[in-house]
Every structure is written in structure tokens, then in C-alpha cells.
Amino acid sequence: IVHLAAQAGVRYSLIDPYAYVTSNVMGQVVMLELARKLKALKHFVYASSSSVYGGNTKVPFSVDDPVEKPISLYAATKRTDELFGYTYAHLFGIPTTGLRFFTVYGPWGRPDMAPMIFSRAILAGEPIRVFNHGEMWRDFTYIDDIVDGVLRALDRPAKGTPPHAVYNLGNNRSEKLTDFVAALEDALGVKAKMQMEPMQPGDVVNTYADIETSRSELGFSPRTPMREGITRFAAWYKDYYRA
């Protein structure tokens, strides 16, 4: 089983925490209970998030780093998912693996993510909101690389006692948000109007994935530089939305 469904988004979790607990925590338990009943089940893989690293300042983020101080409600629910995954592996011997995704983008992306919001606004001549006055860094990871990592994890059931594992799936490179905007401007052929704003509650300044464990145990190796990924995304966006 691959369980990727969730209520996503750091900022929106402040608005409706009940929806996040229902979707992310109860949803995880429902899926794990289903896994218990599938006798032929070989591996349960679920989506976690880089948000679990909270306000950690040591970068890159390693799976061995402490993750007990989430700074958003969303992050708290994803860390809870990991704890339930570990517990079910311990109690019932279900091979269980959590994947900490780092800022996934690409075609068919979530409408509340920056690439979609920025593209829509840039092409409409509207300003885009850039938080922390542009002093933000993200490990932008193209969807094709994420899919490759998910499939690699699925084919390698967790081992150990209990059989639970956690991996980072990121591009192993932290890019400044304003550089991401510049790449999007070039790909869309339109200059962005940037509206600089302060840091938002629950947000973090920097994300950066240490993927050494993912490389050594899964053979994971992201191949898409940010500018190449943005070029592919922009081409899809203009074609799909006829922009």
C-alpha cells in the first residue's frame, strides 16, 4: 500500500486544525487498520513531510535529527503519522516506511503551492506574495524524482525491529525563493511583481534534505535541477491553462 492522501499545507492548518487531525491522523490510522487486515501485504509506505524538522537550524536535515518540536499544526500531524507507523510496525510487524517529501513541484501540482499561485498571478499581471522579504530557501524537488523515490521505497520493505524506516526525498540542494521566482519569470516570459511580506506563523526559513540514507539504501538520486524542472512545469502550465 502507498498512502499519499492528506490535508496538506502549513499555513491553512492554523485555520482549520480539526480538518488536519481528521485527514492526517485519523486517515493514517484507518489505512494502518486496513493494512492489518490484508494478509498478503508486503509493505506500507506513507507520505510524511520535511515540516517535521520544525525550527531545526542544522542543515541539511538528516533523518537522524530530532523532530520532536514541530512549529506548525500540519507538522505535528505528519510527525504523529510517523509515530503511528512506528507503533503499528512494533505491535503487528507491518513493514512500514515514511517518506519526508521536500517542496514537491511539477505538472498537476497542488493549487495552493507557490508554482501554481505564482504562475497564475504572474501571467495575470498581479503581484505575488513573497514572505520573509524573500529571505527563504527551499529544497525544491521535481515530481518525477519524487515518484522515482516512492517506487524505490515501495520495492524495499522496511526491515529491523520494528520494521519501520524513514527517508528524506529531496533534491539535496537548497535554493533561494527569489531565484525560484526568477526561473519562473524566464520560463513564463513575464516579469513578476513581488509584494514583500513578513514571515508567516508556522513557516520555516530553510529546508534542505540530507539524502545519504536514501541514496545508500534506496538508490535514490534526483536528476532534475530546479531551472530544468521549472521550465517543464511552465510549459505544462501554459499548455494546460492555454495561457
Side-chain angles (χ1 to χ4, degrees):
I1 292 178
V2 179
H3 177 212
L4 300 178
Q7 186 78 16
V10 169
R11 298 184 190 108
Y12 297 108
S13 64
L14 293 171
I15 300 171
D16 189 357
Y18 300 107
Y20 280 76
V21 172
T22 300
S23 296
N24 296 356
V25 180
M26 183 59 75
Q28 176 80 327
V29 174
V30 168
M31 293 300 295
L32 285 164
E33 280 295 300
L34 172 62
R36 283 182 62 193
K37 295 176 171 59
L38 297 176
K39 302 303 181 185
L41 180 78
K42 295 181 180 178
H43 195 191
F44 183 91
V45 178
Y46 63 92
S48 186
S49 168
S50 62
S51 296
V52 300
Y53 291 107
N56 288 7
T57 56
K58 181 190 80 63
V59 290
F61 298 153
S62 166
V63 291
D64 296 321
D65 291 342
V67 287
E68 304 312 321
K69 295 181 179 180
I71 61 172
S72 70
L73 296 171
Y74 170 70
T77 65
K78 300 309 286 184
R79 178 58 183 149
T80 302
D81 287 349
E82 294 182 351
L83 294 174
F84 270 112
Y86 179 93
T87 302
Y88 270 71
H90 170 74
L91 291 175
F92 309 112
I94 302 171
T96 308
T97 296
L99 302 176
R100 294 173 178 171
F101 297 146
F102 281 71
T103 316
V104 184
Y105 73 99
W108 305 101
R110 277 173 28 213
D112 63 308
M113 290 288 281
M116 298 287 280
I117 294 174
F118 287 179
S119 296
R120 189 182 309 114
I122 290 171
L123 291 172
E126 299 170 353
I128 60 174
R129 301 171 71 193
V130 180
F131 296 112
N132 203 33
H133 305 283
E135 296 300 313
M136 302 275 279
W137 286 259
R138 289 291 181 271
D139 195 332
F140 295 103
T141 314
Y142 192 64
I143 184 62
D144 289 8
D145 292 324
I146 289 293
V147 170
D148 175 69
V150 171
L151 294 176
R152 288 176 180 276
L154 186 62
D155 289 340
R156 295 164 176 78
K159 299 178 181 178
T161 307
H164 178 264
V166 175
Y167 296 101
N168 287 335
L169 292 189
N171 205 34
N172 193 217
R173 179 169 180 168
S174 195
E175 311 268 5
K176 193 171 184 179
L177 180 58
T178 49
D179 292 337
F180 182 86
V181 173
L184 192 55
E185 290 175 325
D186 291 343
L188 293 173
V190 181
K191 193 72 174 175
K193 299 175 182 178
M194 290 188 280
Q195 179 177 314
M196 297 299 181
E197 298 197 9
M199 193 71 165
Q200 296 294 289
D203 218 341
V204 298
V205 172
N206 191 9
T207 67
Y208 181 5
D210 179 334
I211 61 171
E212 287 310 305
T213 302
S214 306
R215 286 188 197 276
S216 62
E217 297 186 12
L218 303 180
F220 175 67
S221 182
R223 292 179 166 79
T224 314
M226 185 265 287
R227 276 195 167 267
E228 180 182 332
I230 284 296
T231 299
R232 293 188 203 172
F233 165 76
W236 168 83
Y237 187 95
K238 290 191 288 187
D239 178 67
Y240 185 78
Y241 290 101
R242 304 186 187 282

